[in-house]
Amino acid sequence: MPESNHNNRLETFCDGVFAIALTLLIIDIKIPSTATINSSVDFWQVLKHMIPSISAFVLSFFIIFITWVNHHNTLKLVHKSSGSFIYANGFLLLSVVIMPFPTSLLGEYVLSDHAEPSVILFNAVLASQAIGWILITRTALSNQLYHSEKARLQIKINGLNGSYAFVLYSLFAMLAIWFPLTIAILTTITWIFWLIYGINIKDE
């Protein structure tokens, strides 16, 4: 019996990659081996110093989770695939699996005197993720993979959002050279916006 959904294998593979990326985020969240703990007060102090790392983990978790939700919804808009569409998905997944690395750097250095590289790299990865979305939407449109006119319009909107995100995070990456902490805060705010935006779309 033929498959009713030609993207089943692609979606299953992508779901596995997203799950692994989410799991890898937590690996660096641990008490440093150099920490000296002789009392409960020391323990709480160590946990206090871990707040930036925990915050970076939570932010990246929601970034990957929101990306997975958007990816899941995007695959609902197409009923077939193509070589270019599959490779575009691969590029998006590349930006997802890279995320644990800048996350660990952000958590460790964001409050230090040399936070710039970590914030720049974090936003550069987000900009590359936006490129992934642009490629996915363009290949879906150019290969006419959508199953309806309504789906085509939604894919087009997704592509525009990807373009806006690319410009925004590229700008953030450049501005982080001078204002790393401010940009880290603004990056967090933008993903709160994407979260609210996604919830509202789901509720419509």
Side-chain angles (χ1 to χ4, degrees), residues 55-90:
S55 299
F57 159 73
V58 172
L59 173 61
S60 295
F61 180 92
F62 277 106
I63 289 174
I64 295 177
F65 180 74
I66 292 169
T67 304
W68 173 78
V69 171
N70 292 336
H71 185 268
H72 176 70
N73 291 333
T74 297
L75 288 185
K76 288 182 179 179
L77 302 175
V78 299
H79 65 102
K80 54 185 178 178
S81 190
S82 69
S84 58
F85 184 74
I86 291 173
Y87 278 104
N89 267 276

Short mmCIF file of all heavy atoms in Angstrom, two decimals, residues 55-90:
data_model
loop_
_atom_site.label_atom_id
_atom_site.label_comp_id
_atom_site.label_asym_id
_atom_site.label_seq_id
_atom_site.Cartn_x
_atom_site.Cartn_y
_atom_site.Cartn_z
N SER A 55 19.53 30.09 32.24
CA SER A 55 18.72 31.01 31.43
C SER A 55 18.97 30.78 29.94
O SER A 55 18.03 30.77 29.14
CB SER A 55 19.02 32.46 31.80
OG SER A 55 18.72 32.72 33.16
N ALA A 56 20.25 30.60 29.57
CA ALA A 56 20.59 30.34 28.17
C ALA A 56 19.98 29.01 27.72
O ALA A 56 19.50 28.90 26.58
CB ALA A 56 22.11 30.31 27.99
N PHE A 57 19.99 28.01 28.60
CA PHE A 57 19.38 26.72 28.28
C PHE A 57 17.89 26.87 28.02
O PHE A 57 17.36 26.35 27.03
CB PHE A 57 19.61 25.74 29.43
CG PHE A 57 18.64 24.58 29.44
CD1 PHE A 57 18.75 23.56 28.50
CD2 PHE A 57 17.62 24.52 30.37
CE1 PHE A 57 17.84 22.51 28.50
CE2 PHE A 57 16.72 23.48 30.38
CZ PHE A 57 16.83 22.46 29.44
N VAL A 58 17.19 27.60 28.90
CA VAL A 58 15.74 27.78 28.75
C VAL A 58 15.43 28.52 27.44
O VAL A 58 14.53 28.14 26.69
CB VAL A 58 15.16 28.54 29.95
CG1 VAL A 58 13.69 28.90 29.71
CG2 VAL A 58 15.29 27.72 31.23
N LEU A 59 16.21 29.58 27.16
CA LEU A 59 16.01 30.34 25.92
C LEU A 59 16.19 29.45 24.70
O LEU A 59 15.34 29.42 23.80
CB LEU A 59 16.98 31.51 25.86
CG LEU A 59 17.01 32.30 24.54
CD1 LEU A 59 15.65 32.92 24.25
CD2 LEU A 59 18.09 33.38 24.58
N SER A 60 17.28 28.69 24.66
CA SER A 60 17.56 27.84 23.51
C SER A 60 16.55 26.70 23.39
O SER A 60 16.20 26.29 22.28
CB SER A 60 18.98 27.27 23.61
OG SER A 60 19.92 28.31 23.51
N PHE A 61 16.09 26.20 24.54
CA PHE A 61 15.07 25.15 24.50
C PHE A 61 13.83 25.66 23.78
O PHE A 61 13.28 24.99 22.90
CB PHE A 61 14.70 24.70 25.92
CG PHE A 61 13.66 23.61 25.96
CD1 PHE A 61 14.03 22.28 25.99
CD2 PHE A 61 12.31 23.93 25.95
CE1 PHE A 61 13.06 21.27 26.01
CE2 PHE A 61 11.33 22.94 25.97
CZ PHE A 61 11.71 21.61 26.00
N PHE A 62 13.40 26.87 24.15
CA PHE A 62 12.20 27.41 23.52
C PHE A 62 12.45 27.78 22.06
O PHE A 62 11.55 27.66 21.22
CB PHE A 62 11.68 28.62 24.30
CG PHE A 62 10.83 28.24 25.48
CD1 PHE A 62 11.32 28.34 26.77
CD2 PHE A 62 9.55 27.75 25.29
CE1 PHE A 62 10.54 27.96 27.85
CE2 PHE A 62 8.76 27.37 26.36
CZ PHE A 62 9.25 27.48 27.65
N ILE A 63 13.66 28.20 21.73
CA ILE A 63 13.98 28.49 20.33
C ILE A 63 13.85 27.23 19.48
O ILE A 63 13.20 27.23 18.43
CB ILE A 63 15.41 29.07 20.20
CG1 ILE A 63 15.46 30.50 20.75
CG2 ILE A 63 15.88 29.05 18.74
CD1 ILE A 63 16.85 31.09 20.79
N ILE A 64 14.44 26.14 19.95
CA ILE A 64 14.37 24.89 19.19
C ILE A 64 12.95 24.34 19.18
O ILE A 64 12.47 23.84 18.16
CB ILE A 64 15.35 23.85 19.77
CG1 ILE A 64 16.80 24.33 19.58
CG2 ILE A 64 15.16 22.48 19.11
CD1 ILE A 64 17.84 23.40 20.18
N PHE A 65 12.25 24.47 20.31
CA PHE A 65 10.88 23.98 20.38
C PHE A 65 9.96 24.76 19.43
O PHE A 65 9.16 24.17 18.69
CB PHE A 65 10.35 24.09 21.81
CG PHE A 65 8.93 23.59 21.97
CD1 PHE A 65 8.66 22.24 21.94
CD2 PHE A 65 7.88 24.48 22.12
CE1 PHE A 65 7.36 21.77 22.07
CE2 PHE A 65 6.58 24.03 22.24
CZ PHE A 65 6.31 22.67 22.22
N ILE A 66 10.10 26.08 19.42
CA ILE A 66 9.30 26.91 18.51
C ILE A 66 9.63 26.58 17.06
O ILE A 66 8.75 26.51 16.20
CB ILE A 66 9.55 28.41 18.80
CG1 ILE A 66 8.98 28.79 20.17
CG2 ILE A 66 8.90 29.29 17.72
CD1 ILE A 66 9.41 30.17 20.65
N THR A 67 10.92 26.35 16.79
CA THR A 67 11.34 25.98 15.44
C THR A 67 10.71 24.65 15.03
O THR A 67 10.25 24.49 13.90
CB THR A 67 12.88 25.87 15.35
OG1 THR A 67 13.46 27.11 15.78
CG2 THR A 67 13.33 25.58 13.93
N TRP A 68 10.66 23.71 15.98
CA TRP A 68 10.05 22.41 15.69
C TRP A 68 8.55 22.56 15.40
O TRP A 68 8.03 21.97 14.45
CB TRP A 68 10.24 21.45 16.86
CG TRP A 68 9.47 20.17 16.68
CD1 TRP A 68 9.82 19.12 15.88
CD2 TRP A 68 8.22 19.83 17.28
NE1 TRP A 68 8.84 18.13 15.94
CE2 TRP A 68 7.87 18.55 16.79
CE3 TRP A 68 7.38 20.48 18.18
CZ2 TRP A 68 6.69 17.91 17.18
CZ3 TRP A 68 6.20 19.84 18.57
CH2 TRP A 68 5.87 18.58 18.08
N VAL A 69 7.87 23.37 16.20
CA VAL A 69 6.43 23.61 15.98
C VAL A 69 6.20 24.21 14.60
O VAL A 69 5.32 23.77 13.85
CB VAL A 69 5.85 24.53 17.07
CG1 VAL A 69 4.42 24.95 16.72
CG2 VAL A 69 5.87 23.84 18.44
N ASN A 70 7.01 25.23 14.25
CA ASN A 70 6.88 25.88 12.94
C ASN A 70 7.18 24.90 11.80
O ASN A 70 6.53 24.92 10.75
CB ASN A 70 7.79 27.09 12.85
CG ASN A 70 7.35 28.21 13.77
OD1 ASN A 70 6.18 28.30 14.14
ND2 ASN A 70 8.27 29.08 14.15
N HIS A 71 8.20 24.06 12.02
CA HIS A 71 8.56 23.06 11.00
C HIS A 71 7.43 22.05 10.82
O HIS A 71 7.07 21.69 9.69
CB HIS A 71 9.85 22.36 11.41
CG HIS A 71 10.37 21.41 10.39
ND1 HIS A 71 10.04 20.07 10.38
CD2 HIS A 71 11.20 21.60 9.32
CE1 HIS A 71 10.65 19.47 9.37
NE2 HIS A 71 11.35 20.38 8.71
N HIS A 72 6.85 21.62 11.93
CA HIS A 72 5.73 20.67 11.89
C HIS A 72 4.55 21.26 11.12
O HIS A 72 3.95 20.60 10.26
CB HIS A 72 5.33 20.32 13.32
CG HIS A 72 4.13 19.42 13.41
ND1 HIS A 72 4.16 18.10 13.03
CD2 HIS A 72 2.85 19.67 13.84
CE1 HIS A 72 2.96 17.56 13.22
NE2 HIS A 72 2.16 18.49 13.69
N ASN A 73 4.24 22.53 11.42
CA ASN A 73 3.13 23.20 10.73
C ASN A 73 3.44 23.42 9.25
O ASN A 73 2.53 23.37 8.41
CB ASN A 73 2.82 24.53 11.41
CG ASN A 73 2.21 24.35 12.79
OD1 ASN A 73 1.58 23.32 13.06
ND2 ASN A 73 2.39 25.32 13.66
N THR A 74 4.70 23.69 8.93
CA THR A 74 5.08 23.90 7.53
C THR A 74 4.91 22.63 6.71
O THR A 74 4.42 22.66 5.58
CB THR A 74 6.54 24.39 7.43
OG1 THR A 74 6.66 25.66 8.09
CG2 THR A 74 6.97 24.54 5.98
N LEU A 75 5.29 21.48 7.29
CA LEU A 75 5.15 20.22 6.55
C LEU A 75 3.69 19.85 6.33
O LEU A 75 3.38 19.04 5.44
CB LEU A 75 5.89 19.10 7.29
CG LEU A 75 7.42 19.16 7.24
CD1 LEU A 75 8.03 17.94 7.89
CD2 LEU A 75 7.92 19.30 5.80
N LYS A 76 2.80 20.43 7.13
CA LYS A 76 1.38 20.20 6.91
C LYS A 76 0.88 20.91 5.65
O LYS A 76 -0.17 20.57 5.11
CB LYS A 76 0.56 20.70 8.10
CG LYS A 76 0.67 19.85 9.36
CD LYS A 76 -0.21 20.43 10.46
CE LYS A 76 -0.16 19.59 11.72
NZ LYS A 76 -1.00 20.17 12.80
N LEU A 77 1.65 21.92 5.22
CA LEU A 77 1.23 22.72 4.07
C LEU A 77 1.64 22.11 2.74
O LEU A 77 1.19 22.55 1.69
CB LEU A 77 1.83 24.13 4.18
CG LEU A 77 1.48 24.93 5.44
CD1 LEU A 77 2.26 26.25 5.47
CD2 LEU A 77 -0.02 25.19 5.51
N VAL A 78 2.53 21.11 2.81
CA VAL A 78 3.00 20.47 1.57
C VAL A 78 2.55 19.01 1.54
O VAL A 78 2.39 18.39 2.59
CB VAL A 78 4.54 20.56 1.46
CG1 VAL A 78 4.98 22.01 1.39
CG2 VAL A 78 5.22 19.86 2.63
N HIS A 79 2.35 18.48 0.35
CA HIS A 79 1.88 17.10 0.23
C HIS A 79 2.85 16.23 -0.57
O HIS A 79 2.57 15.06 -0.84
CB HIS A 79 0.50 17.07 -0.42
CG HIS A 79 0.49 17.55 -1.84
ND1 HIS A 79 0.43 16.69 -2.91
CD2 HIS A 79 0.56 18.80 -2.36
CE1 HIS A 79 0.45 17.40 -4.03
NE2 HIS A 79 0.54 18.68 -3.73
N LYS A 80 3.99 16.83 -0.94
CA LYS A 80 5.02 16.06 -1.63
C LYS A 80 6.36 16.72 -1.37
O LYS A 80 6.44 17.71 -0.63
CB LYS A 80 4.73 15.99 -3.13
CG LYS A 80 4.52 17.35 -3.79
CD LYS A 80 4.11 17.18 -5.26
CE LYS A 80 3.85 18.54 -5.89
NZ LYS A 80 3.48 18.40 -7.33
N SER A 81 7.42 16.17 -1.94
CA SER A 81 8.76 16.69 -1.65
C SER A 81 9.56 16.79 -2.94
O SER A 81 9.10 16.44 -4.02
CB SER A 81 9.46 15.78 -0.64
OG SER A 81 10.66 16.37 -0.19
N SER A 82 10.79 17.31 -2.78
CA SER A 82 11.72 17.41 -3.91
C SER A 82 13.13 17.39 -3.33
O SER A 82 13.33 17.60 -2.12
CB SER A 82 11.49 18.69 -4.70
OG SER A 82 11.86 19.83 -3.94
N GLY A 83 14.12 17.19 -4.20
CA GLY A 83 15.50 17.16 -3.73
C GLY A 83 15.91 18.46 -3.08
O GLY A 83 16.51 18.47 -1.99
N SER A 84 15.58 19.58 -3.70
CA SER A 84 15.97 20.88 -3.15
C SER A 84 15.28 21.16 -1.82
O SER A 84 15.86 21.75 -0.92
CB SER A 84 15.66 22.00 -4.15
OG SER A 84 14.28 22.01 -4.50
N PHE A 85 14.03 20.70 -1.68
CA PHE A 85 13.29 20.88 -0.44
C PHE A 85 13.93 20.08 0.70
O PHE A 85 14.06 20.56 1.82
CB PHE A 85 11.83 20.46 -0.63
CG PHE A 85 10.96 20.70 0.57
CD1 PHE A 85 10.55 21.98 0.89
CD2 PHE A 85 10.52 19.65 1.34
CE1 PHE A 85 9.72 22.22 1.99
CE2 PHE A 85 9.70 19.85 2.44
CZ PHE A 85 9.30 21.15 2.77
N ILE A 86 14.36 18.87 0.39
CA ILE A 86 15.01 18.02 1.39
C ILE A 86 16.34 18.64 1.85
O ILE A 86 16.65 18.67 3.04
CB ILE A 86 15.23 16.60 0.83
CG1 ILE A 86 13.88 15.90 0.66
CG2 ILE A 86 16.12 15.79 1.77
CD1 ILE A 86 13.98 14.57 -0.05
N TYR A 87 17.12 19.16 0.90
CA TYR A 87 18.39 19.77 1.26
C TYR A 87 18.18 21.07 2.04
O TYR A 87 18.97 21.40 2.93
CB TYR A 87 19.23 20.03 0.00
CG TYR A 87 19.98 18.81 -0.47
CD1 TYR A 87 19.54 18.09 -1.58
CD2 TYR A 87 21.12 18.37 0.21
CE1 TYR A 87 20.22 16.96 -2.02
CE2 TYR A 87 21.80 17.23 -0.22
CZ TYR A 87 21.35 16.54 -1.33
OH TYR A 87 22.02 15.41 -1.75
N ALA A 88 17.12 21.80 1.71
CA ALA A 88 16.79 23.01 2.47
C ALA A 88 16.47 22.64 3.92
O ALA A 88 16.89 23.33 4.86
CB ALA A 88 15.61 23.73 1.83
N ASN A 89 15.74 21.54 4.10
CA ASN A 89 15.46 21.04 5.44
C ASN A 89 16.75 20.68 6.16
O ASN A 89 16.90 20.94 7.35
CB ASN A 89 14.55 19.80 5.36
CG ASN A 89 13.08 20.15 5.48
OD1 ASN A 89 12.55 20.29 6.57
ND2 ASN A 89 12.44 20.32 4.34
N GLY A 90 17.68 20.08 5.42
CA GLY A 90 18.97 19.72 6.01
C GLY A 90 19.73 20.93 6.52
O GLY A 90 20.35 20.89 7.58
#
